[in-house]
Amino acid sequence: AVTAYAPGPQAPLPEGMRFNTDRLEWEIPVRDSRFRLESSGVGNYHWLQAREETPDSVKVASTAHFFSNPGPAPTDMLARSKTELEIVPTPLPREHNQYRENQERTFLLRFQGQPLAGATLRFVSDAGAQSRFISDASGRVNVRFPDDVKPAQGQSGHGGHGRPTTNRFVLAVEHEDQGRRYLTAFNYRYSEDAYARRSLLWGSGFLVLGGLLGLPLVVRRKENHHG
């Protein structure tokens, strides 16, 4: 089974709007390695988590899914402990402001609800990039996304239906406690740089042109002042 978590019980809303939050956590059955996620009546981010447990180890895979209908911010959902070893985005990106190339984003590593310092967080993308990061004393890690998103052929840097091309990535951390091994992964995606393949030359040209157009106004003002 996969466990789903709703974003939170409440949030400020325009008058007349209400959320139907009859559940904050529920199990989704998996059949033939597939499952269907339906929101709990609210939109915004939902957290998905699969768990495999043995006497010697606990393995957890997690991701987030965004519903475009209104819903509370995922702050409460991220703050809640959902397993022993966690990788927590702080925060998740907004709907139209995804993780992007060349950006640095912060993640929190937690064990038993407490920050995990000095842990190694591994980054792997489906484009082949690999990196390692060490959490600081507060359990935080700054992850920089590589510049390796390739535009879809014939799509001018975008995927189908006008969506930006993305790479999938996995963040993974391991920890051992009292002879038991914990492995947790967070799976998501990052898109190309917001300024990728835009012409800096044209941008500079517009700045110069704007300066030239504004120059006569400046000169005229000076002449009027001296007159």
Side-chain angles (χ1 to χ4, degrees):
V2 171
T3 305
Y5 299 86
Q10 55 186 314
L13 285 174
E15 185 63 30
M17 293 183 64
R18 295 290 183 270
F19 291 137
N20 176 23
T21 53
D22 56 343
R23 55 183 180 176
L24 293 178
E25 175 183 337
W26 67 99
E27 299 292 321
I28 304 174
V30 179
R31 297 184 179 88
D32 299 324
S33 300
R34 300 178 70 86
F35 64 89
R36 180 180 178 85
L37 170 66
E38 296 179 354
S39 80
S40 62
V42 301
N44 215 320
Y45 280 106
H46 285 55
W47 191 264
L48 297 170
Q49 184 170 284
R51 179 184 178 98
E52 180 182 280
E53 184 173 357
T54 70
D56 300 322
S57 67
V58 175
K59 298 177 182 178
V60 172
S62 56
T63 189
H65 180 78
F66 187 86
F67 286 100
S68 58
N69 54 304
T75 307
D76 172 75
M77 177 187 73
L78 295 174
R80 279 180 276 155
S81 291
K82 295 173 280 297
T83 187
E84 295 91 340
L85 179 62
E86 298 178 281
I87 302 171
V88 185
T90 55
L92 281 161
R94 293 182 181 273
E95 178 186 6
H96 300 295
N97 185 25
Q98 305 174 26
Y99 294 130
R100 293 185 183 276
E101 295 175 309
N102 302 315
Q103 275 189 351
E104 195 171 84
R105 293 298 189 105
T106 303
F107 295 83
L108 171 65
L109 305 185
R110 279 194 311 226
F111 184 71
Q112 302 290 12
Q114 300 300 315
L116 182 63
T120 299
L121 182 68
R122 291 178 290 159
F123 171 95
V124 179
S125 82
D126 60 2
Q130 298 187 38
S131 303
R132 290 173 181 262
F133 307 90
I134 305 297
S135 60
D136 64 15
S138 63
R140 297 184 182 276
V141 181
N142 293 324
V143 174
R144 186 173 182 83
F145 293 96
D147 182 7
D148 61 357
V149 178
K150 296 181 179 180
Q153 188 172 3
Q155 294 288 344
S156 301
H158 288 74
H161 306 291
R163 291 190 299 268
T165 305
T166 60
N167 285 352
R168 303 293 303 187
F169 73 88
V170 178
L171 292 173
V173 61
E174 293 184 68
H175 183 66
E176 189 168 323
D177 183 69
Q178 298 183 1
R180 203 175 195 193
R181 179 172 167 265
Y182 298 86
L183 171 63
T184 292
F186 172 67
N187 307 262
Y188 209 66
R189 60 189 178 274
Y190 60 99
S191 61
E192 62 182 346
D193 192 304
Y195 297 100
R197 285 164 283 280
R198 293 184 181 178
S199 173
L200 294 179
L201 178 61
W202 274 105
S204 301
F206 278 116
L207 288 176
V208 173
L209 180 60
L212 291 175
L213 290 174
L215 184 60
L217 298 176
V218 174
V219 172
R220 191 176 302 127
R221 285 174 185 169
K222 288 185 177 179
E223 289 175 348
N224 291 336
H225 176 73
H226 289 298

